[in-house]
Amino acid sequence: MSTSATNPTGSSAAQAPGSRAPREAAIALALAASGLGAFALFARRSGAGAAAAAAAGAAFALFFIPCVLLSVRPWRAGLRAWLAPAPRLRSGGLWILALLAYAGYAAACHALVPAELLRLAVYGIAVIVVGGGLRPASAVPLADPSRPGPPAFPARLPFLAALLVFWLPAEFRLVGGLRLPAGAAQAFDATHLALFALGLLVFVVQAHVPRVGYTFALSRRDLAHAAVGLAAFAALAIPLGLASGFIRPGGPHLGPLERAVSALAIYLGVACPEEVLFRGLIQNFLERSWPGRGGRAAALALASLVFGAAHLDEPPRPDLRYALLATLAGLAYGWVWMRTRRATASALTHAAVDFLWMHLFGGVRTA
C-alpha cells in the first residue's frame, strides 16, 4: 500500500498506530483526570465528607479508569498479551478482585448488599466464560470489498452468543448494585461503568473485534462527521418531538461548571458505552453478516431498529414516540460510525443529542 493511501478511518496510512499512541495516551489521561475530578465534585455535593468522598473516588476509579485507559492501543495490546495464556482465568480474576474491592468499601460504609454483588459476579463470570472462547476466525468479507480488509472478525455464532450473554441481562436491569458514595441518598450508579469495562475487556481487548473504533484521538474529519450527524438528526427530530409533545422547551438552570460535568458524564458514562455496544459490536456484526451490495445500509437500519426497541422499556413504558426518536437517533449515530469507524465519534453525536435534550428540552431520559 502506498504511504499516501487513505485508510477507512480517513487518516493517512503512513500514520501507523504506534505514531498515534502518545496522543491517545495524553487524551486518555486528561479524560481520566477530568472524570475523577467530576466525580469528586459530585461526591462532595451529595453530602459526603472529605474522607468518604475520597473512598468513594477510589471505588469509582476501579471501574472508570479502565474504561478510559483501554482506549490506548499499546496498553490494550499489553493487556491482551498478559491475558493470552489463560484468558478466562485472568479476566475472571480481574473481575472478582474489582468486585471484592468494592465489597470491602461498601461493607466499611455499612451499605453492602451481598445478593446484588453475587449476582453481578456470576453475570461477569458468565460473560467471561462465553466470551473467552472468542478467537478471530477467517475474515468475513466486508460489504464494500474495495476497502482494505480489517483483522479477522470472530466466528459469528460464538460472537453472537457472547454478545447476548453480555447485553441482555444489562438491558433488562438484572444486574446492579454499585452505588457511589455507598449508602448516600444521592448516589451515582457505577454499574454501567463496570459493565462497560467488562465489555471492553472481553470484546475489544481479548477478542480484538476489528473496527470498533475505541479511541479518543479523533481527527477533524471524525469531528466533522459527528457534527453533520447531529445537525441532520436535530433538523428532523426537534420538529417531530415538539409536534408529538415528547419534548418541550425548558431545562435545568445550571452554571458552566455543572454543564461541563454533565457533558463529560453523558459522553463517558452513557454515549461511549452505548455506541461501543450498538455500533461497534451490533452494527459491526450485522455488516459482516450481510456482505455484498446493500449490506451496510441493511445493517444500519436493523441496528437502529434494535436501538430504538431497546428504549421501549424506559418509563413510562412503553412510549412509542421515544422508540421512534431513538430509532432516528440510531440512524444518525450509525451513519457517523459507518463513515468514521469510530464508536467514540458517533458517541460525540450521541452525547450532544442527550445534552441538548436534557438542558434545552427538559429531558430526563437519554437517547
Side-chain angles (χ1 to χ4, degrees):
M1 181 185 294
S2 167
T3 58
S4 63
T6 300
N7 70 18
T9 66
S11 58
S12 169
Q15 190 181 16
S19 68
R20 294 193 294 270
R23 181 165 173 253
E24 283 186 329
I27 294 172
L29 291 173
L31 286 173
S34 300
L36 291 175
F39 179 79
L41 179 65
F42 168 81
R44 292 307 302 270
R45 293 193 175 183
S46 69
F60 174 78
L62 278 173
F63 305 108
F64 172 69
I65 293 298
C67 296
V68 179
L69 299 191
L70 288 178
S71 67
V72 183
R73 292 168 225 219
W75 298 349
R76 286 203 304 264
L79 180 57
R80 185 179 302 121
W82 180 78
L83 293 173
R88 291 185 176 95
L89 180 62
R90 295 188 178 188
S91 295
L94 291 175
W95 179 248
I96 295 302
L97 283 175
L99 292 183
L100 285 176
Y102 176 84
Y105 158 74
C109 297
H110 307 289
L112 178 63
V113 183
E116 290 185 335
L117 277 186
L118 178 61
R119 189 161 53 243
L120 196 56
V122 171
Y123 158 80
I125 293 300
V127 174
I128 288 167
V129 167
V130 177
L134 294 178
R135 293 291 184 273
S138 57
V140 178
L142 289 174
D144 183 356
S146 67
R147 291 180 177 269
F153 201 84
R156 290 192 185 101
L157 288 181
F159 176 83
L160 183 59
L163 181 62
L164 292 177
V165 170
F166 171 68
W167 174 37
L168 292 182
E171 177 63 31
F172 290 105
R173 297 175 176 83
L174 300 180
V175 289
L178 303 180
R179 287 174 285 275
L180 299 169
Q186 184 183 3
F188 171 75
D189 187 355
T191 306
H192 61 291
L193 285 179
L195 302 190
F196 185 31
L198 176 66
L200 291 174
L201 179 67
V202 171
F203 293 100
V204 177
V205 175
Q206 191 172 303
H208 200 194
V209 175
R211 286 188 175 173
V212 171
Y214 191 61
T215 174
F216 295 108
L218 301 175
S219 67
R220 286 191 295 271
R221 178 180 178 273
D222 297 331
L223 299 177
H225 279 106
V228 170
L230 172 63
F233 173 71
L236 180 62
I238 291 177
L240 185 60
L242 291 172
S244 67
F246 186 73
I247 62 174
R248 56 186 59 85
H253 297 288
L254 300 176
L257 179 60
E258 288 83 358
R259 290 183 184 272
V261 168
S262 174
L264 185 66
I266 292 170
Y267 180 63
L268 295 176
V270 177
C272 283
E274 291 194 1
E275 289 308 298
V276 168
L277 172 63
F278 286 98
R279 259 53 69 176
L281 297 180
I282 294 177
Q283 187 173 335
N284 198 357
F285 169 74
L286 292 172
E287 274 196 8
R288 283 150 180 79
S289 300
W290 291 328
R293 193 168 187 176
R296 294 175 72 190
L300 171 62
L302 183 54
S304 301
L305 287 170
V306 171
F307 183 68
H311 289 75
L312 280 171
D313 63 344
E314 296 288 343
R317 303 184 180 100
D319 193 327
L320 296 179
R321 299 172 301 172
Y322 193 20
L324 173 61
L325 288 172
T327 299
L328 294 176
L331 289 171
Y333 309 156
W335 177 85
V336 175
W337 176 82
M338 196 167 62
R339 297 292 296 176
T340 64
R341 300 299 174 181
R342 297 281 190 262
T344 46
S346 58
L348 282 176
T349 306
H350 190 150
V353 168
D354 286 355
F355 181 86
L356 292 174
W357 182 18
M358 292 178 66
H359 293 277
L360 296 183
F361 295 101
V364 295
R365 299 169 294 182
T366 54

